[in-house]
Amino acid sequence: MILYDAQNRTYTIHTQNTTYQMKVWDYQVLLHAYYGPRVEGADLSYLLRCKDRGFSPNPNEAGGDRTFSLDTFPQEYSTFGVGDYRLPSIELESSNGSHTVDLRYVSGEVRKGKYGLEGLPAFYGGGDAWETLSIILRDAAAQIEVELLYGVLEEYDLITRAVRVKNAGRETVRLLRCASLCLDFIHSGLDMITFNGAHVAERRPCRVPLHPGIQGVDSTRGTSSHQHNPFVILCGQNAEEDYGLCYGAMLLYSGNFQALAEADQFQNSRLVMGLNPYQFPWTLEPGTSFTSPEAALVCSPSGFGQMSRQFHKAIRKNLIRDPYAGRRKPVLINNWEATEMNFTADKLVEFAQEASGLGMELFVMDDGWFGVRNDDNAGLGDWTVNEEKLPGGLKALVERIKALGMVFGLWIEPEMVNEDSDLYRAHPDWILNVPGRRPSRSRNQLVLDFSRQDVRDNIYEQIKKVLASADISYVKWDMNRSLTEVWSAALPAGRQGEVYHRYVLGIYEFAERLSQDFPGLLLEGCSGGGGRFDGGMLYYTPQIWCSDNTDAADRLRIQYGTSFCYPVSTMGAHVSAVPNGVTKRVIPMDTRGVVAMHGTFGYKMDLRACTPEEKETVRRQTAQFKEHCMLIQEGDYYRLSDPFQNGPYTAWEHVSANRREALVSVVTGTFRGAPPFLALPLKGLDPALHYRVNGEGDWPGAVLMQTGWPLPVPDGDYQSFQLYLEAE
Ligand code: DGJ
């Protein structure tokens, strides 16, 4: 619910459990008054104090009033160069060279429904579930108009934010920064949690107290990156899984981003999140606008678990566009870890035959099916089927796979090109590269200039032809390097700063075309695993390969970190062969299966090489996943332990919306002598209901949650247990 109180000049947003308020203060300055647990009926600006502080300037209109300063008040959208020395949200270069931006409130409007952002991913939804608040601010001297957009999804405590900047003057201006959200707190004592890592080690949580000055994470790689995820949490220092106040902020963006927090001189705090100003300058001609990516906030007054569950529901129901919504997705087998690029149609069919016999339903042919692609030195850019490997083309192969009762999926990497390709030989100027420089290679490939329509069109037409040539149900969209030498032949020198963002807009346009032209197609995002695991891509690809590291022990940590924002249904997770290719670890097949069920579930191995016992395990796991799939993918998710604590086990739980069903999964760590007898307290059950556990007994929910369930005592490394609970 969004309320405007004309007398107090406050805008108040209520969600189910939280309240957000801003106030139009003196001189039309828009201040941020409050964001936290739900409170009713108050003008919360009584919390804001006026005080004369040394070296804190006063706006000219304040005359002799030395107690009003932008430097000391919490701002709704911080400005630049006019007295607020903390993190700016916006900065521009006017035609006279000035960078200052001084925004004053003009008007506000509340409307039903959710605003949309052209060309950008955004939460969506119809009916009465959403409301939009649009606030117009203006800088009269710089002649720009800023629209602050808020989308409110009450049930999930979700508040989305986006910003439109319009050049309302007659001169061209250059926008140097334009954050999607600014969030001020009139206190410090907050911790910041970021999710960091590397290729094969994504999204490790790092929690640090805010210290005076600026801290945060960003990406300058052109993608959201393996290194830092565009999702952060600010929380009370006492906040934990089921207790305490926390704020999650996600950015729906797949390129260079920045999420910075600042603790200031008066122990106020500020979070600013949005596009990275690094190489950003965007030219705004008179009359044109720029729209920021969308950010989304969830505040939870009761710990991280509740925050995550609210994000999960909102992402599942109002962000991803899943052709399988409400239905079980087919269980997948992918050939990559078994064959890499060394395969023939016959070999793939043999694979598929084995997999189909064990219950798998979707066969995915990974990298190596096109051009002259026998290793990673050649072929990218030439999206025509390699008939030496696949005689009769894709159609022939797909028909053979379908005859096995399976559907078919394909790997693509549209943004890339190898120098050894027909495309590059014909269009060497289609890559991102600075004139006079030789482009850096990474995995032996170069990056196509996806900021250009002609380049995108060429690749799109090639891929469309392939997809239309056979019955294809799934596409894995990969992206295997970071950007370098970012310069586009299609833009003049003064606009080269726009290339990074235009590249991302190009990706989004390409993805949107795919979804429009092939509406039933299931898209899986991938960037060397989880290098582009963000809310932006999720709008187009309802699942994303979580990491190239499929070692079950490492995956426990990667999936745990990912779960703080993103739902289990979005995490690509497969069982692979042992010793694991990345860690060389050997983990039992049972446990690998349990860990892959914390995700989309599938296999990435040569099942023909399995022993009869292993095959039986695969058959059982696949059947089990199919049985519990909807509970896993759509249930409420509870973290029962933190794998980074190196405790005796890692555990998690999925609970159905009506709380009548739950699936608990437990994986032990490395075996230590004399293991203790442990009981695992469960979460999210109905205390008044009685549950059968694995088909037996009659256990009150209250007891299971308070005293727990006794865990089997492990007798080796990395063992796993699952409990299925069903209310009587
Ligand atoms: C990186 C992906 O993450 C892998 O799963 C595989 O698709 C390779 N690329 C193929 O090149």
Side-chain angles (χ1 to χ4, degrees), residues 199 334 336-337 341 366-368 373 376 411 413 443 476 478-480 526-530 545 547-548 604:
H199 177 229
N334 172 304
W336 176 251
E337 289 192 21
M341 299 177 204
D366 211 285
D367 194 357
R373 182 113 171 129
D376 57 25
W411 177 99
E413 193 176 5
R443 206 197 187 201
K476 174 176 172 188
D478 208 345
M479 197 287 189
N480 283 301
C526 177
S527 176
W545 182 230
S547 176
D548 273 352
K604 217 176 194 178

Side-chain angles (χ1 to χ4, degrees), residues 166-173 282-289 495:
K166 181 173 176 196
N167 180 354
R170 295 216 184 103
E171 307 283 344
T172 298
V173 297
W282 190 275
T283 300
L284 267 184
E285 306 287 354
T288 62
S289 298
R495 300 190 74 152

Side-chain angles (χ1 to χ4, degrees), residues 193-247:
I193 307 177
T194 53
F195 296 84
N196 315 295
H199 177 229
V200 302
E202 294 89 342
R203 292 174 292 285
R204 291 180 285 215
C206 169
R207 180 173 182 165
V208 287
L210 287 191
H211 58 75
I214 295 170
Q215 51 247 260
V217 290
D218 73 356
S219 168
T220 55
R221 292 173 172 268
T223 55
S224 49
S225 87
H226 298 87
Q227 287 69 20
H228 305 290
N229 196 261
F231 171 71
V232 300
I233 299 172
L234 287 186
C235 60
Q237 286 172 346
N238 60 358
E240 33 108 319
E241 196 58 30
D242 300 304
Y243 176 82
L245 186 56
C246 58
Y247 303 84

Side-chain angles (χ1 to χ4, degrees), residues 73 86 114 118 157 182 190 205 323 329 469 514 536 688 707 728:
F73 280 128
R86 296 164 290 176
K114 167 78 196 337
E118 194 160 314
D157 296 314
C182 170
L190 291 170
K329 283 181 199 155
S469 73
L514 270 181
T707 58
E728 309 244 280

Side-chain angles (χ1 to χ4, degrees), residues 242-521:
D242 300 304
Y243 176 82
L245 186 56
C246 58
Y247 303 84
M250 74 184 278
L251 187 69
L252 283 68
Y253 193 59
S254 312
N256 293 346
F257 75 95
Q258 195 178 58
L260 299 179
E262 178 170 6
D264 77 6
Q265 55 180 337
F266 305 122
Q267 298 182 18
N268 300 310
S269 318
R270 170 173 293 171
L271 174 69
V272 171
M273 193 174 195
L275 283 164
N276 198 332
Y278 169 85
Q279 290 199 40
F280 168 65
W282 190 275
T283 300
L284 267 184
E285 306 287 354
T288 62
S289 298
F290 178 84
T291 304
S292 80
E294 182 165 89
L297 290 164
V298 168
C299 165
S300 160
S302 47
F304 305 131
Q306 172 67 3
M307 175 205 69
S308 298
R309 285 186 288 282
Q310 293 293 61
F311 269 121
H312 294 175
K313 284 184 223 169
I315 290 172
R316 280 202 319 262
K317 300 200 174 147
N318 296 91
L319 178 63
I320 62 179
R321 297 170 301 165
D322 189 349
Y324 286 89
R327 286 189 294 146
R328 184 176 68 71
K329 283 181 199 155
V331 176
L332 161 165
I333 171 89
N334 172 304
N335 70 305
W336 176 251
E337 289 192 21
T339 64
E340 300 213 334
M341 299 177 204
N342 179 21
F343 57 79
T344 59
D346 288 345
K347 195 165 174 184
L348 296 180
V349 172
E350 275 176 40
F351 263 56
Q353 209 157 14
E354 187 70 57
S356 134
L358 296 174
M360 270 142 256
E361 302 157 310
L362 163 62
F363 181 82
V364 177
M365 177 169 66
D366 211 285
D367 194 357
W369 57 267
F370 51 90
V372 190
R373 182 113 171 129
N374 297 313
D375 56 41
D376 57 25
N377 293 310
L380 289 170
D382 295 341
W383 299 103
T384 44
V385 177
N386 179 336
E387 297 233 8
E388 270 174 42
K389 286 184 185 177
L390 309 177
L394 215 46
K395 197 167 169 50
L397 175 63
V398 175
E399 290 312 316
R400 291 173 75 188
I401 299 290
K402 282 176 68 186
L404 298 170
M406 302 178 94
V407 291
F408 185 84
L410 194 66
W411 177 99
I412 57 172
E413 193 176 5
E415 299 148 73
M416 297 294 154
V417 69
N418 287 115
E419 288 150 275
D420 186 358
S421 68
D422 291 342
L423 186 90
Y424 184 78
R425 281 183 282 273
H427 302 286
D429 56 328
W430 277 11
I431 59 165
L432 290 175
N433 188 32
V434 179
R437 296 189 186 278
R438 290 194 289 173
S440 304
R441 299 185 186 96
S442 182
R443 206 197 187 201
N444 258 315
Q445 59 199 51
L446 306 177
V447 186
L448 287 170
D449 181 357
F450 255 47
S451 73
R452 284 172 62 168
Q453 187 74 54
D454 55 346
V455 175
R456 292 199 303 272
D457 285 350
N458 178 294
I459 301 295
Y460 188 78
E461 288 310 321
Q462 289 193 55
I463 287 177
K464 185 176 172 186
K465 206 163 152 194
V466 172
L467 294 181
S469 73
D471 189 0
I472 293 170
S473 305
Y474 159 108
V475 162
K476 174 176 172 188
W477 175 336
D478 208 345
M479 197 287 189
N480 283 301
R481 60 163 290 179
S482 304
L483 274 46
T484 53
E485 291 91 18
V486 173
W487 191 93
S488 171
L491 287 171
R495 300 190 74 152
Q496 288 299 324
E498 300 176 18
V499 181
Y500 273 113
H501 183 54
R502 286 186 185 277
Y503 180 92
V504 178
L505 295 177
I507 306 287
Y508 292 155
E509 188 231 39
F510 194 98
E512 186 60 36
R513 278 162 91 178
L514 270 181
S515 333
Q516 297 298 330
D517 288 345
F518 302 94
L521 194 66

